Amino acid sequence: MKLGKTIFDINTLVRKNVLTMKPYSSARDDFKGEADIFLDANENPYPSPYNRYPDPLQWKVKEKLAPIKKVRPEQIFLGNGSDEAIDLVIRAFCEPGTDSILITDPTYGMYAVCADVNAVNVQRVTLTTDFDIDLDKIWKIIDPTTKVIFLCSPNNPTGNLLNNDKIKEVMQKFRGLVVIDEAYIDFTSSKSFAEALDEYPNLIVLQTFSKAWGLAGLRLGMAFASRDIINILNKIKYPYNVNIQTQDLALKTLAFQRQKEQWVIEIIEQRKRMETELSMLPITKKVYHSDSNFLLVQVNEAVKTYQFLMNRGIIVRDRSNVTLCNDCLRITIGTPAENVRLLKALKEMKSEKT
Ligand SMILES: Cc1ncc(COP(=O)(O)O)c(C=O)c1O
């Protein structure tokens, strides 16, 4: 049962109040042409780098980004991190107190947090033991309240790519929206689903400048979807959600992709090295396969190891209380020197391999 373009109508999914509301119209939305005197937005007229409001729809960044991502500028939403897009998708499409999102456990925590904030129910389907999508369980749990399915690939905290055929099956059969969070896609050789937007009208792809691009502090996230879906997100976002400095820096960064590509090569090389070195440690039970910039590592005693490292000034992420991640630590790949220090510290932990 393929979800054809003809039968998919986004207006049947969007919340009624969002569909009918009149969005805030900023001064910069109203005026489109060329002018040299701007007395329309109550700004300070005296020159400072930031006396003017930014472009609310960030067109220059989108025009530069579109060919890189193989999408059209109007298929791009930019926000304050991809976290903003996660929140907006839930607010636009899920009725508080009534609707649900579906997430695959374990996964990135913000889907459930944003749902909780918005009084939206969370349906959880545990991944298979090899951390892949359990389609049977998904079809069983989905009901008419399920509006959005979040799939994270590569997944956080497990690190692996989800099976592409299973993702496609979810997009084809599910009558709501499917969000594929590709925050870590740059660390894989896998093609982004953003290139398949025209095939899947219910698809939203998330990416971010926070990982491979090295701009976590800047806060810039991307959502790619049909123009109709992007228009809905734009309708409810804060008018000037991406500031001038972020837009300027993003433009500069996009013109210099070689640096990002070089970082990715180095991080992947280090990941391979760390995978081998960590597997040889007495405290390690298992290093899971990773397609990301981090490794999920099962150790003898996760909490003890976490504290031991913390006492040596090394912070990793304790994931031992997370579904399927018993005794697991999530370790980000650092610089070669940082990785050496981590290994040295772990070698000093007195523990026997079980
Ligand atoms: C899977 C995933 N999605 C989204 C994010 C958030 O990205 P951003 O910094 O763009 O808000 C993270 C951050 O760790 C993540 O792991």
Side-chain angles (χ1 to χ4, degrees):
M1 182 174 47
K2 189 152 170 127
L3 184 68
K5 262 188 199 169
T6 46
I7 55 164
F8 184 80
D9 180 4
I10 193 69
N11 292 335
T12 61
L13 280 182
V14 67
R15 286 170 64 202
K16 286 247 151 37
N17 60 313
V18 172
L19 189 65
T20 55
M21 70 178 251
K22 198 171 172 314
Y24 175 72
S25 172
S26 72
R28 294 295 122 85
D29 280 328
D30 281 353
F31 175 75
K32 292 279 183 291
E34 291 286 317
D36 50 13
I37 298 181
F38 287 96
L39 304 175
D40 58 345
N42 300 347
E43 295 152 331
N44 184 326
Y46 294 103
S48 97
Y50 308 114
N51 64 328
R52 298 295 175 191
Y53 283 106
D55 172 5
L57 291 171
Q58 313 99 16
W59 284 116
K60 280 190 188 147
V61 182
K62 287 176 184 173
E63 268 149 29
K64 187 96 196 161
L65 191 58
I68 296 171
K69 297 296 175 184
K70 301 196 177 89
V71 299
R72 293 183 290 282
E74 63 275 15
Q75 292 175 314
I76 305 175
F77 167 86
L78 295 176
N80 187 338
S82 41
D83 285 344
E84 181 181 354
I86 294 168
D87 184 50
L88 288 183
V89 167
I90 292 175
R91 281 202 277 150
F93 296 98
C94 301
E95 199 59 47
T98 306
D99 285 337
S100 312
I101 63 161
L102 186 151
I103 64 171
T104 55
D105 245 354
T107 195
Y108 180 50
M110 280 302 283
Y111 316 135
V113 169
C114 292
D116 287 346
V117 168
N118 291 293
V120 166
N121 181 43
V122 180
Q123 298 171 321
R124 292 171 186 271
V125 172
T126 306
L127 291 172
T128 57
T129 46
D130 57 349
F131 299 147
D132 208 352
I133 302 174
D134 192 329
L135 283 175
D136 289 342
K137 281 197 203 146
I138 286 188
W139 301 137
K140 265 192 202 126
I141 204 171
I142 282 175
D143 63 27
T145 72
T146 318
K147 289 288 162 61
V148 187
I149 297 178
F150 283 89
L151 300 173
C152 187
S153 182
N155 187 40
N156 177 5
T158 57
N160 60 301
L161 280 161
L162 300 177
N163 180 293
N164 266 2
D165 291 334
K166 291 185 184 178
I167 294 178
K168 285 180 190 162
E169 194 173 328
V170 174
M171 290 192 291
Q172 281 162 359
K173 290 190 177 165
F174 179 53
R175 303 269 148 175
L177 291 172
V178 180
V179 175
I180 306 178
D181 187 341
E182 295 183 339
Y184 300 97
I185 194 76
D186 297 291
F187 301 103
T188 77
S189 47
S190 192
K191 252 180 37 182
S192 165
F193 274 102
E195 293 177 36
L197 284 185
D198 293 337
E199 248 176 279
Y200 301 102
N202 58 341
L203 168 63
I204 301 175
V205 176
L206 303 181
Q207 290 188 18
T208 179
F209 283 84
S210 297
K211 310 295 173 182
W213 291 94
L215 294 172
L218 203 60
R219 309 307 301 133
L220 187 60
M222 304 161 256
F224 308 108
S226 72
R227 194 183 53 189
D228 291 345
I229 295 174
I230 297 300
N231 284 345
I232 291 165
L233 300 183
N234 284 334
K235 189 176 182 184
I236 64 169
K237 75 178 182 70
Y238 286 147
Y240 305 109
N241 62 328
V242 180
N243 65 62
I244 287 184
Q245 196 169 28
T246 298
Q247 294 192 37
D248 286 351
L249 272 167
L251 273 174
K252 285 190 187 119
T253 304
L254 287 170
F256 195 58
Q257 285 184 74
R258 271 235 308 278
Q259 172 67 85
K260 181 206 89 168
E261 283 155 15
Q262 191 53 40
W263 279 334
V264 166
I265 290 169
E266 280 168 29
I267 289 168
I268 293 173
E269 251 174 49
Q270 283 295 308
R271 182 184 76 205
K272 286 184 186 154
R273 177 172 164 239
M274 290 300 282
E275 213 175 315
T276 312
E277 299 267 352
L278 287 165
S279 329
M280 289 174 352
L281 295 177
I283 58 151
T284 303
K285 280 189 183 161
K286 182 166 182 167
V287 181
Y288 289 92
H289 168 78
S290 172
D291 300 295
S292 318
N293 67 338
F294 58 86
L295 288 166
L296 187 72
V297 184
Q298 191 178 44
V299 294
N300 284 337
E301 292 169 290
V303 177
K304 204 172 134 193
T305 310
Y306 171 78
Q307 275 160 357
F308 176 87
L309 289 173
M310 194 165 62
N311 291 339
R312 280 171 165 62
I314 301 171
I315 312 300
V316 296
R317 191 93 152 107
D318 174 15
R319 297 284 77 188
S320 56
N321 286 327
V322 169
T323 313
L324 297 181
C325 295
N326 193 26
D327 266 328
C328 283
L329 299 175
R330 194 194 67 194
I331 303 177
T332 307
I333 304 302
T335 63
E338 289 170 339
N339 299 334
V340 165
R341 250 190 74 191
L342 172 81
L343 289 170
K344 186 169 173 291
L346 287 174
K347 278 176 193 158
E348 284 164 16
M349 257 198 94
K350 288 194 193 74
S351 180
E352 292 299 308
K353 199 161 190 157
T354 48

